[in-house]
Amino acid sequence: MTFADLLRVAPGSTPDLAAIDTRATPGFEGDKDSSRKRLKELRGELADFQERLWAESKQSLLVVLQALDAGGKDGLIRKVVTAFNPQGTRVTGFGVPTEEELRHDYLWRVHAATPGKGRIGVFNRSHYEDVLVVRVNDLAPEPVWSERYDQINAFEAHLAANDTRVLKFYLHISRDEQRERFQKRLEDPEKHWKWSSGDLDSREQWSDFQAAYTDALARCSTDAAPWFVIPADRKWYRDLAVAEILSEAAAEMDPQWPVAEEDLSKVVITA
Ligand code: AMP
Ligand code: MG
């Protein structure tokens, strides 16, 4: 079984988030040290893939990251996404929409940030906030956000039909793990910048967010754009699992080195 098979939300199924062990390490029997060795290999593979993707310039890869506060999106970007050459990679963070963004439909800013041919795009939060925080905090009425699941599926199918591979990762941490990570932030002055007062509000809304995530995962995991639920209490497993799934997708995308237009064996470099 591949990591993708183990962790994918089967299209049409509803994941039971509370029943998923966030400390589990599906598909991996080793410990932290051996995971870091494996990650090093995978980073090499991903770097090679990215160079071929760029050279071929026909396909794109879009990686969507979603998690609750302290879920580990930033750490994952540091440990895994940095395997890619920054020249061909763009990480886009989506925060509270600006006034201009609010004057457009919610996919406008998202579509503008999708990767072009040969490029890799990474979304730190995404259009899913428009059915997560928007739903939980009543930022739009239910008739508005409830239409969005189908709209999102259509949007992602459109990207996929236009040669963009879409992979979506939900980094799943437990309530206890979130408390520990928040506690560490409060105790370490070098982590205070990560703290926001809204973090405690969203912790109060834990079960509302779990419900909103469950619906997003159930309704928007499609063949064209699957969701993966990554047990993320153990950071090393989180990094490993995402890197394994990226590397499996890279093998399927299999970008090819372009063939030179002229016969290079005849090229002579002058003195
Ligand atoms: P951070 O990722 O910690 O920089 O925080 C970004 C904040 O922007 C989070 O609190 C998100 O919930 C919020 N956010 C992202 N997208 C939206 C959206 N479409 N509507 C409202 N808030 C959003
Ligand atoms: Mg935050």
Side-chain angles (χ1 to χ4, degrees), residues 8 37 63 114 118 195:
R8 184 190 299 110
K37 280 194 197 111
V63 178
T114 55
W195 183 258

Side-chain angles (χ1 to χ4, degrees), residues 12-41:
S13 75
T14 301
D16 182 356
L17 289 179
I20 294 174
D21 179 0
T22 51
R23 291 187 67 76
T25 62
F28 190 71
E29 258 131 52
D31 58 4
K32 178 175 175 177
D33 283 352
S34 52
S35 82
R36 289 307 187 202
K37 280 194 197 111
R38 174 73 184 136
L39 182 60
K40 211 170 165 199
E41 287 172 14

Side-chain angles (χ1 to χ4, degrees), residues 31-200:
D31 58 4
K32 178 175 175 177
D33 283 352
S34 52
S35 82
R36 289 307 187 202
K37 280 194 197 111
R38 174 73 184 136
L39 182 60
K40 211 170 165 199
E41 287 172 14
L42 288 165
R43 285 178 57 93
E45 287 176 21
L46 292 175
D48 168 70
F49 158 74
Q50 194 253 345
E51 197 177 347
R52 279 185 292 123
L53 186 79
W54 172 273
E56 181 197 62
S57 212
K58 289 185 178 159
Q59 318 173 61
S60 319
L61 173 63
L62 174 61
V63 178
V64 172
L65 303 177
Q66 284 288 157
L68 296 175
D69 293 312
K73 295 188 273 64
D74 297 332
L76 181 90
I77 288 169
R78 216 165 44 237
K79 288 288 189 4
V80 177
V81 173
T82 49
F84 300 129
N85 183 340
Q87 179 147 258
T89 310
R90 176 151 65 125
V91 179
T92 306
F94 291 95
V96 178
T98 63
E99 265 182 50
E100 189 186 20
E101 287 168 351
L102 284 173
R103 281 198 296 274
H104 294 79
D105 77 88
Y106 68 101
L107 292 175
W108 179 72
R109 64 176 183 167
V110 177
H111 205 162
T114 55
K117 305 258 184 257
R119 313 291 171 112
I120 297 174
V122 178
F123 286 178
N124 183 343
R125 302 186 193 269
S126 65
H127 44 302
Y128 282 93
E129 293 294 333
D130 293 284
V131 290
L132 293 165
V133 71
V134 166
R135 162 175 161 168
V136 170
N137 287 339
D138 277 324
L139 302 178
E142 173 160 3
V144 171
W145 59 253
S146 64
E147 292 292 330
R148 290 181 174 168
Y149 301 96
D150 291 343
Q151 294 167 0
I152 287 173
N153 288 340
F155 169 64
E156 292 175 354
H158 169 77
L159 295 179
N162 286 277
D163 306 312
T164 297
R165 181 75 169 229
V166 184
L167 301 172
K168 303 176 294 193
F169 298 95
Y170 168 55
L171 311 180
H172 187 27
I173 57 166
S174 67
R175 197 169 155 80
D176 282 348
E177 181 67 21
Q178 190 192 50
R179 188 187 28 143
E180 274 179 36
R181 291 184 189 180
F182 278 176
Q183 199 61 47
K184 280 199 185 123
R185 287 184 182 182
L186 291 175
E187 283 163 9
D188 180 353
E190 291 186 2
K191 291 195 167 147
H192 283 177
W193 64 272
K194 290 191 185 188
W195 183 258
S196 95
S197 55
D199 289 353
L200 279 190

